[in-house]
Amino acid sequence: LTLIASAGLGTEINGEYITGFIEAERRKEIKPHLEKLFADPSLVNRQLVNDILAYKRLDGVAGALRTIAEQFCPGGVQATVLRDELAGLSLPVLVVWGAQDQIVPVAHADGLPAGIKTVIIPDAGHMPQMEAASEVNRLIDELIE
């Protein structure tokens, strides 16, 4: 199991990001929220913004995002914390986090059950799989081996 900047390991979450992402309908509204995903905000280019907006405009997406947020993080707090369940897993677990995550606190990676490999990537935000793809892929390959 590989968890990347995972929800469900603590209660805190950036509720402003969640609300802003859901409510944004235009480029200039959503771009600041997308920039919070990355340590390097220049990765939020026009194509990414356009792709996200196109997705959000699909029938049913807005309602689905609101429903997920209402169930997942009512009042800006994660409703479910599963960190204790990780100790009971009988498979290798890797947790990867960007040290500059502005969405889910990197502190949620602290104090996980014994045997869980945790890697904090210094120059990454909430999207280490994009900002440090080679490193994340290498870590996953090691886990699988």
Side-chain angles (χ1 to χ4, degrees):
L1 173 65
T2 300
L3 302 173
I4 300 175
S6 182
L9 299 180
T11 58
E12 301 86 7
I13 192 163
N14 185 334
E16 178 185 302
Y17 165 79
I18 302 290
T19 302
F21 180 87
I22 292 170
E23 293 177 358
E25 296 179 0
R26 294 184 154 72
R27 276 188 208 100
K28 76 178 203 173
E29 294 170 353
I30 199 163
K31 187 174 180 185
H33 298 291
L34 295 177
E35 288 174 342
K36 292 176 186 173
L37 294 171
F38 302 94
D40 178 2
S42 72
L43 294 173
V44 179
N45 59 33
R46 188 173 198 71
Q47 184 65 50
L48 176 64
V49 172
N50 288 341
D51 288 348
I52 296 294
L53 286 174
Y55 166 74
K56 288 187 65 191
R57 290 178 180 137
L58 294 173
D59 286 341
V61 168
L65 290 173
R66 281 191 295 278
T67 298
I68 291 167
E70 289 165 6
Q71 296 299 310
F72 164 68
C73 56
V77 176
Q78 293 186 58
T80 304
V81 177
L82 301 170
R83 71 185 295 123
D84 292 339
E85 281 78 355
L86 293 177
L89 297 177
S90 60
L91 57 122
V93 178
L94 167 66
V95 173
V96 179
W97 226 290
Q100 298 178 45
D101 193 327
Q102 296 179 59
I103 310 304
V104 180
V106 67
H108 290 190
D110 295 341
L112 291 172
I116 293 177
K117 181 175 181 177
T118 303
V119 178
I120 308 300
I121 299 177
D123 295 322
H126 189 66
M127 304 294 283
Q129 70 276 19
M130 291 177 69
E131 292 184 280
S134 295
E135 175 71 3
V136 171
N137 289 339
R138 183 188 64 73
L139 292 165
I140 293 170
D141 284 344
E142 284 178 6
L143 181 73
I144 292 170
E145 289 173 7

